[in-house]
């Protein structure tokens, strides 16, 4: 979504509000003095401009006032498109609509002031330089009395567990902190219909718990809630109904969560839905780790990342964990040679650096860096540079001088495995969040770099595409490549991480544990080792390394 699209959500209220009258909330559209309306879709479909396939189609759905609905479906089934349609964020000239969609008996664009939406990407709706001002922006545009604005801002920030003062610059926030701020901006407006598009996708477990608790507190009995969330088990306490979209069109299943999963759980899991209780098999390394590729010695970027010691090895998957704001994304940029260290140094092995063995990675020429180290950013759109999905995947290979036959032989299987074949001619900026994430990962996998560094690579994936990503990463690692992933995805860590590094907000140290060393209390200035698969210990002033 562009800023222009978002501004209509935080826009001045309609004529009833401007006159000092309260407009009807969702489920209270007044016709002849009686409450009618709610959310209604009759054969609704939407096709984005320039696309052959429909993003969503044939949806018949009725949601009554006060219902809490979890909207599920495989990646690309149209969940985010449906939420955008309900929020009135699909202009007529941006695509083709079939059927009807109504909120309180009105077209969605006529009911925008009653609807709040939080997107997958929090940056899409942060509009001010300071955090408190961003939450206050919508209240000011709605004409809320000045004396009520800051108490409502502080209440909303408190509900989402925002850890800073309202003067905190929005540019200084981590992705997860931005998501909490975006949610606070919506909650402050007290919408009648609350739409949440994967609101916890970029949050650490503690932050996700805070956000879910905030939603539970904020949603009263006459507020309608529709949630898109891949963390199904965690979202179930918030809802009383599950609706599953069919990728080919229509509704696959609809009813109470227990009934839907009991009747269709196995089939839904096979189709990509994260059905609770269905575990995924691990993909452990087939052999021991190889040679060291990178060594970080007191590597840091104050104040975003404290001094960090670690090693990255070939044939090993290292998962970087820690709370939002600990500097995980900054560490990924440093390890990828995309950011000059503020403290310490990063040394590449001769095997990785080649002719640049005496030069730090951030000073390597771009072609050399791209050929040795692949990076996947937290925001996938930050690395798209072409106009089609196919060309995005082919770009790196073409820059290496590969023939078009070689390019197609590499690109086509990736498109198929990551379920992007039907989108090969699509513009990368029109993809759903999950599709964009798979494309960004695939662009790095296409050139099979010696070292791959990924920031939240499994964000927005259904169960099927998640497993395909895990398989691709495991194949790369087992072929002797190094892999570093920044992640909050506990399932991903359990499935394939060979070693974990947990950062906190003060100091990070990574030391290899002594063989068969017994677990004990943390020692100042050292790391605590634990068997693979155990939960990270809570520490201050150090990282916790797991093998």
């Amino acid at each position: 979504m562009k800023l222009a699209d978002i501004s209509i959500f935080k826009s001045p209220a309609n004529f009833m509000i401007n006159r000092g009258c309260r407009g009807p909330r969702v489920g209270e559209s007044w016709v002849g003095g009686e409450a009618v309306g709610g959310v209604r879709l009759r054969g609704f479909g939407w096709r984005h401009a320039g696309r052959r396939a429909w993003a969503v189609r044939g949806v018949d759905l009725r949601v009554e006032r006060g219902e809490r609905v979890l909207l599920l479906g495989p990646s690309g089934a149209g969940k985010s498109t449906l939420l955008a349609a309900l929020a009135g964020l699909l202009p007529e000239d941006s695509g083709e609509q079939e059927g009807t969609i109504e909120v309180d008996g009105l077209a969605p664009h006529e009911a925008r002031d009653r609807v709040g939406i939080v997107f997958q990407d929090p940056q899409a709706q942060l509009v001010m330089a300071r955090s408190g001002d961003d939450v206050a922006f919508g209240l000011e545009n709605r004409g809320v009395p000045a004396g009520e604005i800051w108490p409502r801002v502080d209440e909303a920030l408190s509900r989402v567990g925002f850890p800073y003062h309202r003067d905190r610059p929005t540019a200084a926030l981590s992705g997860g902190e931005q998501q909490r701020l975006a949610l606070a901006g919506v909650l402050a407006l007290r919408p009648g219909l609350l739409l949440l598009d994967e609101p916890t996708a970029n949050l650490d477990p503690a932050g996700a718990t805070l956000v879910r608790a905030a939603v539970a507190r904020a949603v009263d009995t006459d507020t309608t809630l529709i949630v898109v969330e891949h963390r199904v088990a965690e979202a179930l306490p918030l809802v009383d109904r599950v609706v599953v979209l069919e990728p080919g069109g229509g509704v696959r299943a609809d009813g109470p969560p227990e009934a839907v999963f009991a009747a269709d759980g196995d089939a839904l899991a096979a189709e990509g839905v994260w059905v609770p209780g269905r575990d995924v098999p691990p993909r452990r390394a087939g052999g021991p780790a190889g040679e060291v590729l990178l060594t970080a010695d007191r590597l840091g970027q104050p104040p975003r990342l404290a001094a960090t010691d670690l090693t990255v090895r070939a044939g090993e998957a290292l998962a970087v964990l820690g709370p939002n704001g600990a500097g995980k994304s900054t560490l990924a940029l440093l390890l990828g040679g995309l950011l000059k260290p503020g403290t310490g140094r990063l040394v590449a092995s001769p095997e990785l650096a080649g002719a640049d063995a005496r030069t730090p990675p951030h000073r390597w020429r771009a072609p050399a860096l791209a050929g040795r180290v692949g990076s996947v950013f937290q925001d996938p759109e930050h690395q798209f540079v072409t106009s089609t999905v196919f060309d995005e995947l082919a770009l790196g290979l073409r820059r290496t001088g590969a023939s078009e036959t070689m390019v197609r032989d590499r690109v086509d299987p990736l498109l198929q495995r990551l379920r992007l074949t039907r989108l090969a001619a699509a513009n990368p900026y029109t993809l759903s969040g999950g599709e964009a994430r798979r494309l960004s990962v695939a662009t790095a996998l296409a050139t099979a770099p010696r070292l791959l560094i990924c920031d939240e690579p499994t964000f927005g994936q259904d169960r099927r595409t998640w497993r395909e990503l895990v398989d691709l990463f495991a194949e790369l690692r087992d072929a002797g490549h190094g892999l570093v992933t920044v992640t909050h995805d506990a399932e991903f860590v359990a499935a394939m991480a060979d070693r974990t590094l947990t950062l906190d907000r003060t100091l990070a140290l990574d030391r290899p544990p002594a063989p068969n060393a017994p677990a004990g209390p943390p020692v100042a200035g050292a790391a605590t080792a634990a068997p693979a698969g155990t939960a990270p210990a809570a520490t201050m002033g150090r990282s916790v390394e797991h093998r």
Side-chain angles (χ1 to χ4, degrees):
M1 292 291 177
K2 300 180 177 63
L3 185 58
D5 299 324
I6 304 309
S7 65
I8 61 178
F9 163 62
K10 292 183 175 179
S11 64
N14 66 15
F15 71 95
M16 289 188 293
I17 302 298
N18 291 335
R19 289 181 180 179
C21 301
R22 181 179 74 83
R25 298 190 69 179
V26 169
E28 297 179 338
S29 185
W30 301 329
V31 179
E34 297 182 4
V36 299
V39 173
R40 302 286 187 274
L41 295 93
R42 301 178 181 88
F44 175 75
W46 182 266
R47 178 164 57 187
H48 295 287
R51 290 281 190 88
R52 293 182 179 178
W54 291 79
V56 62
R57 195 173 198 185
V59 177
D60 293 297
L61 184 64
R62 177 173 178 167
V63 180
E64 301 294 348
R65 174 167 59 106
E67 281 196 284
R68 286 94 165 95
V69 177
L70 177 61
L71 188 63
L72 299 178
S75 180
K79 303 181 296 294
S80 295
T81 300
L82 186 56
L83 291 194
L86 287 169
L89 299 179
L90 295 179
E92 292 183 2
D93 61 356
S94 68
E96 176 186 352
Q97 177 179 323
E98 65 179 12
T100 62
I101 181 169
E102 297 176 350
V103 176
D104 284 342
L106 303 173
H109 71 272
E110 297 174 340
R112 289 172 183 152
D113 66 307
R114 311 168 202 185
V115 182
I117 183 169
V118 177
F119 300 104
Q120 294 172 337
D121 178 8
Q123 292 183 347
Q125 64 192 91
L126 299 184
V127 297
M128 303 296 287
R130 293 187 300 183
S131 298
D133 293 343
D134 195 85
V135 178
F137 182 81
L139 297 170
E140 292 170 343
N141 280 341
R142 290 283 178 87
V144 173
E148 298 181 19
I149 289 178
W150 291 111
R152 285 174 65 169
V153 168
D154 291 337
E155 177 192 22
L157 290 174
S158 176
R159 284 185 173 186
V160 301
F162 191 70
Y164 307 111
H165 189 268
R166 64 167 84 120
D167 289 336
R168 179 77 169 182
T170 55
L173 302 177
S174 70
E177 291 162 350
Q178 290 175 341
Q179 189 72 301
R180 287 190 233 177
L181 182 63
L183 178 61
V186 171
L187 295 180
L189 294 169
R190 300 171 183 171
L193 172 60
L194 182 58
L195 309 172
L196 304 179
D197 193 351
E198 296 198 68
T200 64
N202 289 330
L203 301 187
D204 57 58
T209 299
L210 284 171
V211 167
R212 286 190 293 269
V215 172
R217 290 192 302 267
V219 178
D220 54 26
T221 56
D222 64 347
T223 300
T224 305
L225 174 68
I226 302 179
V227 184
V228 171
E229 179 61 86
H230 282 294
R231 295 176 177 179
V232 175
E234 290 87 348
L236 285 180
L238 296 175
V239 303
D240 49 34
R241 178 181 173 190
V242 167
V243 174
V244 184
L245 295 183
E246 186 75 62
V251 173
R252 172 72 166 78
D254 184 358
E258 310 81 33
V260 169
F261 294 139
D264 300 302
D266 291 340
L268 292 175
E271 293 168 9
V273 176
W274 282 102
V275 177
R278 270 70 172 180
D279 295 330
V280 293
R283 285 295 308 266
R284 296 298 181 190
E291 67 277 10
V292 172
L293 298 177
L294 283 178
T295 301
D297 179 15
R298 307 294 292 174
L299 185 69
Q301 192 71 35
R304 290 180 287 172
L305 175 67
T308 304
D309 291 349
L310 64 87
T311 57
V312 178
R313 296 180 176 275
E316 182 181 62
L318 170 65
V320 179
L321 314 176
N324 292 115
K328 302 184 298 298
S329 295
T330 300
L331 178 61
L333 293 174
L334 288 167
L335 295 178
L338 301 175
L339 187 64
K340 180 181 179 180
T343 65
R345 62 176 186 157
L346 180 67
V347 178
S349 68
E351 194 273 338
L352 177 65
D356 293 316
R358 296 186 178 182
T359 305
H362 73 275
R363 294 182 58 189
W364 293 352
R365 294 177 62 86
L369 180 64
R372 300 164 185 162
V373 183
S375 290
V376 176
F377 303 145
Q378 188 175 65
D379 185 341
E381 292 186 351
H382 286 175
Q383 62 192 93
F384 295 156
V385 295
T386 70
S387 59
T388 72
V389 168
F390 185 94
D391 287 341
E392 197 69 38
L393 282 172
L395 180 64
L397 293 166
R398 287 168 175 165
R399 285 181 172 174
T400 65
S403 68
E404 284 303 303
T405 299
M406 294 176 61
V407 167
R408 186 162 291 279
D409 287 345
R410 179 61 177 163
V411 170
D412 284 346
L414 281 173
L415 289 171
Q416 183 176 6
R417 292 188 67 173
L418 294 177
R419 302 184 185 277
L420 295 172
T421 301
R422 65 183 179 85
L423 300 170
N427 189 306
Y429 292 96
T430 67
L431 302 181
S432 71
E435 291 164 348
R437 168 49 77 211
R438 295 202 299 280
L439 175 59
S440 65
V441 173
T443 59
L445 291 172
T447 56
R450 194 74 176 91
L451 174 62
L452 180 60
I453 299 171
C454 301
D455 196 344
E456 298 291 354
T458 57
F459 158 71
Q461 300 310 304
D462 64 33
R463 189 176 189 271
R464 189 165 48 183
T465 56
W466 183 93
R467 291 188 64 176
E468 199 64 66
L469 281 174
V470 169
D471 287 343
L472 285 167
F473 285 139
E475 290 167 11
L476 192 71
R477 174 200 58 194
D478 294 345
H481 299 253
L483 176 65
V484 179
T485 57
V486 169
T487 184
H488 293 305
D489 187 344
E491 288 81 6
F492 177 80
V493 175
M496 71 165 297
D498 305 307
R499 185 163 51 99
T500 66
L501 172 71
T502 302
L503 304 182
D504 63 26
R505 291 188 176 93
T506 53
L507 177 67
L509 296 173
D510 177 28
R511 303 292 191 206
N516 302 317
V523 179
T528 302
T534 59
T539 64
M540 288 295 293
R542 62 191 61 80
S543 71
V544 180
E545 182 192 41
H546 290 174
R547 289 184 181 275

